[in-house]
């Protein structure tokens, strides 16, 4: 948590880094709101694969993640 907090100011200067930090925070907390924020961050940079992988962390959105990954030609992780 301390490392994420330390990284956040620098990450805000780069949308990709901010999305990475958002997902790391979501994985740390498991908070659905943090996961949703991470999905939105990946959408902002157009990172379909990263977005889909983040969706896969949300049980209610795993089907959506699988569809997105299939569209990219990538199997759903187990």
């Amino acid at each position: 948590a301390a490392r994420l907090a330390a990284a956040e100011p620098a990450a805000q200067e780069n949308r990709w880094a901010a999305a990475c930090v958002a997902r790391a925070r979501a994985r740390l907390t498991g908070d659905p709101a943090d996961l949703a924020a991470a999905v939105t961050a990946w959408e902002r940079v157009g990172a379909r694969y990263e977005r889909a992988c983040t969706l896969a962390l949300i049980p209610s959105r795993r089907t959506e993640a699988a569809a997105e990954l299939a569209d990219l030609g990538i199997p759903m992780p187990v």
Side-chain angles (χ1 to χ4, degrees), residues 18-19 22-23 26 31-44 54 58 61:
R23 183 168 58 194
D31 184 324
D34 286 343
L35 286 165
V39 169
T40 299
W42 291 121
E43 288 170 353
R44 285 188 193 122
T54 305
I58 305 170
R61 297 187 75 182

Side-chain angles (χ1 to χ4, degrees), residues 11 14-21 42 45-47 50:
N14 178 290
R15 292 188 314 166
W16 186 273
C20 288
V21 169
W42 291 121
V45 295
E50 298 295 344

Side-chain angles (χ1 to χ4, degrees), residues 4-78:
L4 284 173
E8 282 179 334
Q12 296 311 311
E13 296 177 18
N14 178 290
R15 292 188 314 166
W16 186 273
C20 288
V21 169
R23 183 168 58 194
R25 176 162 306 289
R27 294 199 69 174
L28 176 68
T29 66
D31 184 324
D34 286 343
L35 286 165
V39 169
T40 299
W42 291 121
E43 288 170 353
R44 285 188 193 122
V45 295
R48 291 177 62 196
Y49 174 77
E50 298 295 344
R51 177 186 177 274
C53 289
T54 305
L55 285 172
L57 300 172
I58 305 170
S60 65
R61 297 187 75 182
R62 284 188 58 83
T63 301
E64 183 182 353
E68 182 70 13
L69 288 169
D71 191 50
L72 293 169
I74 302 166
M76 179 75 166
V78 177

